[in-house]
Amino acid sequence: MQDSSDNVGNPDWLNSIRWTEDGLVPAIAQDAETGDILMMAWMNAESLRLSAEEGHAVYWSRSRGKLWRKGETSGHQQVIRDIRLDCDNDVVLLKVDQKGGIACHTGRRSCFYRSLENGQWVEKDPVLKDPNRIYRSK
């Protein structure tokens, strides 16, 4: 990613985004090297601004109603290499380096680990680390 001061010095760039009525935009995290889609989450203007400033993914947790720094509990941070906006200005793409190789809270590399087969969702990707070991209380 370019120097963050060049990217975010003037917050007008946030005005280009078509936010939902709730002030959110979907954000897709993609592995910068492989192109694998790792996860989808939501961002508000503050989380997107912080992500651009800090160089690490910060999302908006709808269930908790607060900012969520990816990896704050698990250690599986996403270091941002590039931030892109789609042609309709309503989806953000984060090209990231996924620390620890795990993006999903289930302990898998990607949140997209199920495939539709004969009308059933079939788990295709293995659990790399037991979530109980990732998120156990310290």
Side-chain angles (χ1 to χ4, degrees):
M1 200 164 83
Q2 293 179 350
D3 178 25
S4 62
S5 61
D6 292 340
N7 285 327
V8 299
N10 181 348
D12 287 347
W13 59 274
L14 291 166
N15 296 331
S16 299
I17 297 172
R18 289 183 41 210
W19 304 97
T20 66
E21 290 181 12
D22 296 336
L24 302 174
V25 65
I28 297 167
Q30 179 183 40
D31 186 289
E33 291 297 318
T34 67
D36 292 343
I37 302 300
L38 301 174
M39 59 177 277
M40 180 274 177
W42 294 94
M43 297 180 115
N44 62 12
E46 182 182 11
S47 66
L48 183 52
R49 180 185 56 76
L50 287 170
S51 295
E53 285 178 1
E54 298 173 5
H56 291 86
V58 180
Y59 298 106
W60 176 256
S61 172
R62 295 182 305 166
S63 61
R64 293 176 284 200
K66 67 178 191 171
L67 293 175
W68 157 45
R69 284 179 159 71
K70 178 68 176 154
E72 66 190 344
T73 305
S74 66
H76 300 138
Q77 292 182 323
Q78 293 174 341
V79 178
I80 298 172
R81 288 245 209 113
D82 193 11
I83 300 175
R84 297 191 180 201
L85 184 61
D86 80 324
C87 58
D88 292 324
N89 297 343
D90 62 0
V91 178
V92 171
L93 175 68
L94 304 178
K95 293 190 175 206
V96 302
D97 290 327
Q98 180 64 58
K99 298 303 176 189
I102 296 173
C104 186
H105 74 281
T106 66
R108 292 176 174 86
R109 173 165 170 66
S110 169
C111 293
F112 297 97
Y113 60 89
R114 293 177 281 206
S115 182
L116 185 61
E117 292 183 4
N118 300 316
Q120 300 289 318
W121 292 110
V122 178
E123 293 182 3
K124 295 290 193 165
D125 299 335
V127 172
L128 301 176
K129 187 172 184 181
D130 181 348
N132 292 322
R133 289 184 53 220
I134 296 171
Y135 299 105
R136 71 174 157 218
S137 302
K138 303 280 183 200

